[in-house]
Amino acid sequence: MASGTAPPLLVIALVLAGSTSLFLAATAWARRRVPGARELAVLLVGSALYSLAYAFELLRSDLDGILAFVSLVYLALAIMIPAFLAFAWWITTGKGLPVPLLAALVAWGLLAFAAVLTVRSHSFFYLNPRVSTDGPYPVIGFGRGPLYLVNFAMIELVAIAGAVLLAIRASRSVGRQRLQSIVIALGGSFPIAAGLGRLTGLVPEWFDPAPLSFAATGAFTAFGMFRLGLVEIVPAARELAIDALRDGFVVTDTHGAVVDANRAARSLLGWPEELGAGERNLGSAAGGAFVGLLAEGAGKVEVRLAGGEAATGEDAGDARERHIRANAYPILSPRGDVRGLSLLLVDQTETVELLERLKELADKDGLTGLLNRRRFLELASREIALAARTPRPMALILVDVDRFKRVNDRHGHEAGDAVLAELSRRLVATFRNVDLVGRYGGEEFVVLLTAAESVDVELAAERARRAVEAASVPWNGLELRITASFGCARVSEERGRVDSARVAEILAETLRRADAALYRAKEAGRNRVETAG
């Protein structure tokens, strides 16, 4: 006959089991970015609640007190059972448990909890609940109602399904992964054995082995976590090596759900620092730029991100267009099945900008930003060749700043640079976007009107002359006034395909005639337009 309460050592063991589960839950939650870690943390929280609730149940000898803690035990089961299956599902398939199934399991667990909470008002769960004194300490005694039996069967089936999933993973794995799966599958089998033992009468009515069986599950899980690296799928070295990389590194499942991403990848793609598994899909990142890689399962792609589209962390506020090269590699199982994709994201923004800058320096005049002489002659030659195949009149204008040496002598070369920069702005503003404007050398500029049939060449040059004449360049409290002389010449029209030698000859002859017209403008008093005959 029972007297008093349960032995202190048993209560202490249950409290220690619950505390250990809480510690393991906190450890798993700290690694929640790893697939399955969140589900494992929830499972261990439920296990802790079960052990602690049962410990306090054993300290009570009155029916109301015992029932209060029994209801907490069933609340723990409502947490643990869905979490265990979700954990096994993640570990085995790399995917989250289907939401309808998860919702159904949670709803059923809460229904069982509510049934126990209101057990005094119905007979669906417990039949004739009472305090049993048949054992060494008081426990709840009852007959098994229909809802109890269904709930027991549900718990056992889910536990068996989880263990089977882990066994499947073990059969598909090799080496350490197989050992990990076997360890956690054995841990999951303890509650199954405990439940079956109690149902068949192999375990005495007054003793519930479930809390200790769950504690054993926690111990096996701890072994897998800390000794075999079950949860630490990405080892500690990853934090030091992968996260320290300047390049982005992303791991996805076969559906593109992001399993892991290092700090550089999160910054490049605008993802939050705390990124949980499955919270992002690579297929929707960067405007769908990675969809092709996901479909092919390998390869590389060049991605452009608009300014500010994906700048976070140290790059926040960076409005530059970003250039990323993505290289994708399949992740294969030991059997050769594709389990996911790993991507290396290389930020090429600085390299691209440097190349563009070098190209600009090679093509543009450093002071004025206009085409330099070499690039102007290249583009002018191309336009002449195109005009021969698709006939259209063109014209060339040479521009020379009047008395430029006087500006340099009186005010210095910096003042001369300011004058040249202002004249350049006036020329660009006056002529059309389709026209070529370049610095020919020193204070001399050149313009190619690429479609002169729609414009009077001399009138266009006159507009530019007036714009330059109206210019005023502030310098050390003074307003420097400038003028320029213009020499115009039409480009000789050709028909059909012309070779490069003939193009060079046409361009040189046109420049000579424009230069002669410019000379006449200078001789006639400067600040005027002359056209070659």
Side-chain angles (χ1 to χ4, degrees):
M1 296 294 291
S3 61
T5 57
L9 287 178
L10 177 58
V11 175
I12 291 173
L14 290 169
V15 171
L16 287 175
S19 301
T20 301
S21 293
L22 283 177
F23 169 76
L24 296 176
T27 303
W29 185 255
R31 296 163 172 80
R32 58 189 176 275
R33 283 169 46 197
V34 177
R38 293 174 187 254
E39 291 77 4
L40 180 57
V42 175
L43 168 64
L44 291 168
V45 167
S47 175
L49 178 59
Y50 196 125
S51 297
L52 295 175
Y54 186 50
F56 283 100
E57 176 190 337
L58 295 179
L59 293 175
R60 302 299 295 264
S61 59
D62 60 300
L63 183 58
D64 288 337
I66 292 174
L67 284 175
F69 286 107
V70 168
S71 65
L72 289 180
V73 166
Y74 278 91
L75 177 61
L77 287 171
I79 297 171
M80 295 167 61
I81 299 306
F84 178 68
L85 186 60
F87 170 70
W89 192 278
W90 251 121
I91 291 298
T92 305
T93 68
K95 304 174 186 177
L97 188 67
V99 174
L101 178 56
L102 180 62
L105 291 174
V106 172
W108 179 264
L110 293 177
L111 175 64
F113 166 65
V116 175
L117 202 61
T118 59
V119 73
R120 294 275 198 146
S121 61
H122 60 81
S123 300
F124 294 110
F125 208 88
Y126 288 159
L127 301 178
N128 187 28
R130 63 194 180 279
V131 176
S132 173
T133 57
D134 295 338
Y137 47 84
V139 296
I140 186 170
F142 56 89
R144 298 182 177 97
L147 191 58
Y148 176 92
L149 294 174
V150 174
N151 185 64
F152 180 87
M154 176 72 72
I155 291 173
E156 291 295 306
L157 286 174
V158 172
I160 291 171
V164 169
L165 283 172
L166 291 168
I168 291 173
R169 181 179 188 265
S171 69
R172 294 177 176 176
S173 304
V174 294
R176 173 170 291 213
Q177 281 192 344
R178 172 170 290 182
L179 182 58
Q180 291 166 354
S181 301
I182 292 174
V183 166
I184 195 63
L186 285 175
S189 68
F190 292 136
I192 300 172
L196 290 174
R198 197 171 190 192
L199 182 66
T200 58
L202 295 176
V203 177
E205 183 77 17
W206 48 265
F207 178 68
D208 183 3
L212 295 180
S213 68
F214 281 119
T217 298
F220 271 64
T221 304
F223 182 77
M225 287 171 62
F226 299 115
R227 301 296 296 178
L228 300 180
L230 175 63
V231 170
E232 199 66 27
I233 296 172
V234 184
R238 170 207 177 284
E239 298 295 331
L240 298 175
I242 302 299
D243 260 353
L245 289 175
R246 288 177 56 86
D247 298 330
F249 185 75
V250 179
V251 178
T252 77
D253 65 14
T254 53
H255 299 285
V258 175
V259 174
D260 195 29
N262 71 349
R263 185 178 295 109
R266 296 194 299 272
S267 177
L268 282 173
L269 299 174
W271 291 341
E273 183 66 24
E274 291 295 326
L275 181 64
E279 288 184 9
R280 289 287 189 278
N281 191 292
L282 195 65
S284 59
F290 300 107
V291 170
L293 286 182
L294 293 173
E296 294 294 331
K300 62 182 179 180
V301 66
E302 302 288 335
V303 179
R304 285 189 179 185
L305 298 178
E309 178 182 341
T312 63
E314 295 179 359
D315 295 324
D318 189 345
R320 294 181 300 168
E321 181 182 63
R322 306 196 74 82
H323 300 260
I324 300 172
R325 187 183 74 244
N327 294 297
Y329 309 92
I331 300 173
L332 303 178
S333 71
R335 293 185 174 185
D337 301 324
V338 177
R339 300 298 302 273
L341 201 65
S342 62
L343 288 94
L344 186 65
L345 308 179
V346 181
D347 187 358
Q348 296 183 296
T349 304
E350 292 185 1
T351 302
V352 171
E353 289 180 346
L354 178 60
L355 291 174
E356 289 177 349
R357 178 59 178 158
L358 290 174
K359 184 177 184 302
E360 182 178 339
L361 291 175
D363 294 344
K364 299 291 183 68
D365 175 62
L367 173 64
T368 64
L370 300 179
L371 297 172
N372 59 26
R373 178 175 180 144
R374 179 193 60 78
R375 186 58 174 165
F376 176 87
L377 293 176
E378 285 180 359
L379 295 179
S381 298
R382 184 184 304 171
E383 290 294 332
I384 292 172
L386 289 173
R389 293 196 294 270
T390 56
R392 50 189 164 89
M394 295 190 298
L396 190 141
I397 304 173
L398 283 177
V399 184
D400 188 82
V401 181
D402 295 330
R403 298 185 174 89
F404 181 70
K405 185 175 183 303
R406 184 182 300 176
V407 175
N408 281 336
D409 292 343
R410 291 182 178 180
H411 305 287
H413 289 283
E414 290 184 358
D417 289 346
V419 165
L420 295 178
E422 178 61 26
L423 183 139
S424 301
R425 285 190 288 270
R426 297 280 171 155
L427 292 178
V428 170
T430 301
F431 292 103
R432 303 165 301 178
N433 292 334
V434 295
D435 298 327
L436 302 179
V437 183
R439 186 178 180 188
Y440 200 55
E443 67 271 23
E444 197 168 22
F445 298 82
V446 61
V447 180
L448 179 69
L449 303 180
T450 59
E453 78 281 356
S454 61
V455 64
D456 185 308
V457 178
E458 192 167 349
L459 182 59
E462 179 61 23
R463 281 199 303 268
R465 186 199 65 78
R466 291 176 182 175
V468 172
E469 186 180 34
S472 178
V473 182
W475 187 259
N476 291 338
L478 301 175
E479 296 293 330
L480 304 182
R481 312 291 297 192
I482 56 174
T483 61
S485 300
F486 292 71
C488 309
R490 287 194 172 273
V491 179
S492 300
E493 295 187 21
E494 297 283 330
R495 292 291 185 272
R497 185 178 297 275
V498 294
D499 58 25
S500 58
R502 177 54 183 158
V503 168
E505 183 181 331
I506 293 171
L507 181 55
E509 190 269 336
T510 305
L511 284 168
R512 183 190 60 76
R513 291 190 294 112
D515 187 60
L518 176 62
Y519 180 78
R520 291 199 302 274
K522 291 286 189 182
E523 289 294 309
R526 299 182 176 86
N527 190 25
R528 58 186 294 122
V529 175
E530 290 289 340
T531 304

